[in-house]
Structures are given as structure tokens and as C-alpha cells.
Amino acid sequence: KNVIFETHNFPYNFFGKSNQEYSLHSTGPEFVNELTTNTGLGFLLDVAHVFISGNTRILNGIYQGSIENYFAEIVESANGRVYQLHVNVPCFEEGKGYFDIHRPFDDSELSHKIIDLTKYVVQNSPELKVITLEMDTGLSPLKHVKKLCKQTEYLNSFLNVK
């Protein structure tokens, strides 16, 4: 059994607030590396959280690479200790940036970007044990379960996992 940690996200609309320094540190590769190296903790990589934090850094000129480069740095900084993934599609609002509301996958460019980034993490995380699909639908319980099953099949078709 392993104890794992999850980073929160660093949304664009938080930039400039009092928690900026904390959020900048606690969502980046250095933080992930510090925890996995110095404590032996595993990492629960929430794809939407990393995507949101990476984009905030890119939009504010804090990170000069691409979102794909940012994911590569996060995965590498985990030192092979990515044990679990959380996967969903974030939301984007003009002027506010991306934020995490657990949207289902669809045929949008953003959904496909999240799937591509998730594939990268899966392929580069040999100790990965669990992929958790997080999804809020606003549907009744039975309709939610049906949608969740379809989403699982959809995601599995891209990730080639069962």
C-alpha cells in the first residue's frame, strides 16, 4: 500500500491574489519532485489540475514551454511514482481561463487535448495502478451511471486500457 498526494490546481483567475506564491510552488514540478524524493510519497496526477496549472503558468509568462512540455516535466518530477490518475475535461471561460468542473469528454478540441495528455501520462507512468474518471453530469442517478459507462468506454478506446 502507498500513501499518495494530489496537487490542487492554479487557475488563471487566482493569479495576483494572496495565495499566488503558495499556488505557484505547490502545483509545479519542483514541489512534486520534493515530495516524491524526500518523503517516498506516491503521486495522484489529476490531469485537469496539471493542465489548468500549466496553462496559468504559460499565459502569465512563468513557464516558457508548451503544455506538453509541462506535463513531461511533471511526470518526470514524480520519479516513477505516479500511481493514480484523475481524468476529466476542464472548462474554459474567456477572461477567467480554465477551471475544474469535471466535464464529460466530447468531440471538442479540448477533450482530445486532455485525452492526448492522459495517454502521455499513462505511457510514461509504469507504476500507474488506477485511472479515475471524474464527471459531473447533473443527470438523475440512472442517467448519470449510463453516461459514466459510455464515457468509460470512450476513454478506454483512446487509452487502450481495461
Side-chain angles (χ1 to χ4, degrees):
K1 308 235 187 272
N2 299 96
V3 175
I4 60 177
F5 71 96
E6 175 183 17
T7 59
H8 61 89
N9 62 63
F10 180 24
Y12 182 74
N13 58 350
F14 277 19
F15 198 78
K17 292 188 177 180
S18 61
N19 65 351
Q20 175 189 345
E21 188 175 325
Y22 168 77
S23 292
L24 230 123
H25 177 71
S26 66
T27 60
E30 302 83 8
F31 181 75
V32 173
N33 186 48
E34 283 177 35
L35 281 174
T36 56
T37 300
N38 296 328
T39 67
L41 288 172
F43 184 34
L44 184 166
L45 192 154
D46 187 305
V47 175
H49 289 184
V50 174
F51 182 82
I52 292 165
S53 299
N55 271 288
T56 297
R57 290 164 183 266
I58 291 166
L59 290 171
N60 287 287
I62 298 166
Y63 184 78
Q64 304 305 315
S66 67
I67 193 64
E68 292 82 5
N69 296 136
Y70 188 74
F71 265 79
E73 285 188 33
I74 290 287
V75 170
E76 183 179 324
S77 69
N79 299 303
R81 293 180 165 285
V82 176
Y83 298 143
Q84 183 175 356
L85 287 181
H86 281 183
V87 184
N88 70 77
V89 181
C91 187
F92 179 80
E93 279 190 27
E94 198 64 45
K96 293 184 177 180
Y98 292 97
F99 53 97
D100 190 18
I101 62 166
H102 299 171
R103 285 185 36 228
F105 288 89
D106 54 28
D107 205 27
S108 69
E109 185 178 326
L110 180 57
S111 283
H112 287 285
K113 173 64 78 180
I114 295 298
I115 287 170
D116 289 343
L117 293 168
T118 302
K119 277 187 205 175
Y120 175 83
V121 176
V122 169
Q123 292 167 352
N124 291 281
S125 302
E127 297 298 319
L128 180 63
K129 307 283 189 249
V130 177
I131 300 172
T132 302
L133 176 60
E134 298 180 300
M135 189 178 70
D136 293 331
T137 62
L139 299 172
S140 67
L142 185 57
K143 288 181 180 178
H144 179 83
V145 168
K146 288 179 179 179
K147 178 80 171 180
L148 189 58
C149 289
K150 286 183 180 180
Q151 287 285 292
T152 301
E153 289 172 8
Y154 183 77
L155 195 56
N156 284 345
S157 73
F158 287 101
L159 299 179
N160 296 317
V161 296
K162 298 276 180 208

